[in-house]
Amino acid sequence: MIAAIVRRVSLSNYSFRGSVLYSRMSASEATAEREAKIKRNPHGDFNEVQMSRPEFESDVQFHYTQTIDTKWVPGSGANSNEWQKYKKIAVDPYAEGRDPMNNYKLLIAGIVPRPIGFVSTESKAGIRNLAPFSYTTFVHHDPPIFCIGFASSVAQAKDTLANILETGELTINIISEWFVEAANYTSTNAPPEVSEWDVSGLTPLASKKVKPPHVGESAFSVEAKLVTHHEWKSKVDGEPNGTLVIVEGINFHIREDATNESFTTLDPEILKPVSRLGGITYGRTTQAFEMLRPSWADEEKRAEVQQALKE
């Protein structure tokens, strides 16, 4: 019995995942291990590949175009039949032998483009943290509700998550082209005592209703407070491995030349938002088209609609 007690004590700093024994690492150590497993860099020498590409096209200006098919009518379906040449493959996310990390790689490549929530927090000890999270979006407007997903448990919370759960306060900032390198640098797995504000060179501006500052370089920032959080457990080993936080926006900050007099819109030409694509790829927003939402009261009278309903 004594041997059993000793064994339990000696294993108290470890957990089993399948048949593998893992130590309960710090958040930064866990992130480093996870990044090593993901193997984000698809290139042998990234800098060599980077320098072989054309220079950044700074002269490309945001502009509007027509829609792809201006003559599209109800019932006519896709504007290209290219899709018919290919079969769709069903993939079970938990098929035998499939590593859940493959689902991560697939989903970040398929659910695109994703907005990047550039989140500023501050610990109770006063240490400021800044990091980007592409599992971010807003889900309601009255009240303004946002959600942020963290690929870490509460026990191994990343600094941003730990600060939000500890203080209940944060700011969410939109990343634009003119500071994308600095924003990306804050994604490093620095220890909690290191402030990403310092190593990125970005500018903290005082917020009005929360303690964490918002990013001066960002054209649109949201001050927010925690509403609730939910921890996810792996379907493979039952271990907590992710956390969702739901927050309420309580104050906005908008660059004056990017909005209108009623503060009801943002000019994409000024905002120049950067989005997250798959792997290590990011996207620019350089052109757009507009489409009206159809009103059924008007549409149901159209001959094309009546014909589509008969088929």
Side-chain angles (χ1 to χ4, degrees):
M1 175 150 178
I2 294 177
I5 293 174
V6 171
R7 176 172 172 76
R8 284 200 297 272
V9 172
S10 67
L11 293 179
S12 63
N13 291 326
Y14 297 84
S15 62
F16 284 97
R17 297 182 187 176
S19 60
V20 182
L21 186 65
Y22 284 81
S23 65
R24 292 199 177 116
M25 300 169 286
S26 67
S28 59
E29 290 172 333
T31 299
E33 183 185 79
R34 178 172 170 273
E35 288 299 310
K37 186 176 182 181
I38 293 174
K39 298 179 181 178
R40 292 187 191 274
N41 181 14
H43 313 292
D45 186 333
F46 176 75
N47 288 331
E48 182 179 344
V49 173
Q50 173 87 299
M51 297 309 296
S52 70
R53 292 171 173 164
E55 291 185 358
F56 183 83
E57 298 173 350
S58 57
D59 58 340
V60 175
Q61 299 297 314
F62 177 86
H63 59 283
Y64 286 97
T65 69
Q66 296 179 354
T67 56
I68 300 170
D69 183 2
T70 58
K71 297 180 180 179
W72 187 92
V73 294
S76 59
N79 52 47
S80 169
N81 291 326
E82 181 73 12
W83 64 273
Q84 294 179 344
K85 298 179 182 179
Y86 307 96
K87 296 187 299 183
K88 296 190 77 173
I89 304 169
V91 178
D92 183 341
Y94 293 101
E96 185 176 355
R98 182 176 175 84
D99 189 329
M101 191 58 68
N102 290 337
N103 296 330
Y104 169 79
K105 292 181 177 181
L106 175 65
L107 290 172
I108 65 169
I111 311 301
V112 292
R114 300 189 308 281
I116 308 169
F118 199 24
V119 182
S120 163
T121 58
E122 187 169 329
S123 70
K124 282 188 175 180
I127 300 174
R128 292 175 173 177
N129 182 265
L130 187 62
F133 295 91
S134 67
Y135 289 0
T136 303
T137 192
F138 90 96
V139 294
H140 196 55
H141 65 281
D142 182 21
I145 299 296
F146 301 78
C147 62
I148 308 171
F150 296 87
S152 61
S153 64
V154 172
Q156 291 185 335
K158 296 180 179 181
D159 299 341
T160 299
L161 173 59
N163 291 345
I164 293 173
L165 297 181
E166 184 181 45
T167 69
E169 297 187 340
L170 65 152
T171 70
I172 301 173
N173 307 269
I174 293 301
I175 296 175
S176 297
E177 292 179 9
W178 56 86
F179 66 99
V180 67
E181 291 88 357
N184 179 66
Y185 196 77
T186 67
S187 64
T188 182
N189 58 319
E193 63 272 15
V194 173
S195 172
E196 290 80 3
W197 289 96
D198 295 335
V199 295
S200 69
L202 292 172
T203 308
L205 294 183
S207 297
K208 299 290 186 182
K209 300 180 180 179
V210 298
K211 192 171 182 181
H214 57 281
V215 179
E217 288 80 358
S218 178
F220 183 61
S221 302
V222 179
E223 297 181 32
K225 288 194 174 184
L226 177 66
V227 175
T228 188
H229 76 280
H230 178 82
E231 192 171 45
W232 307 107
K233 293 183 178 180
S234 167
K235 296 188 71 173
V236 174
D237 56 26
E239 291 283 330
N241 66 354
T243 308
L244 167 72
V245 299
I246 299 175
V247 304
E248 178 182 346
I250 59 173
N251 206 38
F252 307 137
H253 296 270
I254 312 171
R255 206 174 90 175
E256 60 182 357
D257 63 332
T259 190
N260 57 4
E261 292 183 359
S262 58
F263 310 124
T264 57
T265 189
L266 285 164
D267 185 345
E269 185 173 4
I270 301 296
L271 187 60
K272 292 185 178 2
V274 175
S275 62
R276 195 72 162 83
L277 302 177
I280 58 174
T281 306
Y282 293 79
R284 302 173 66 190
T285 305
T286 57
Q287 60 177 264
F289 48 81
E290 297 178 319
M291 293 189 293
L292 295 174
R293 179 174 294 187
S295 168
W296 183 247
D298 297 325
E299 294 298 307
E300 66 176 335
K301 303 170 186 176
R302 294 179 58 177
E304 298 93 343
V305 172
Q306 293 298 320
Q307 181 61 36
L309 292 174
K310 293 177 182 179
E311 295 177 353

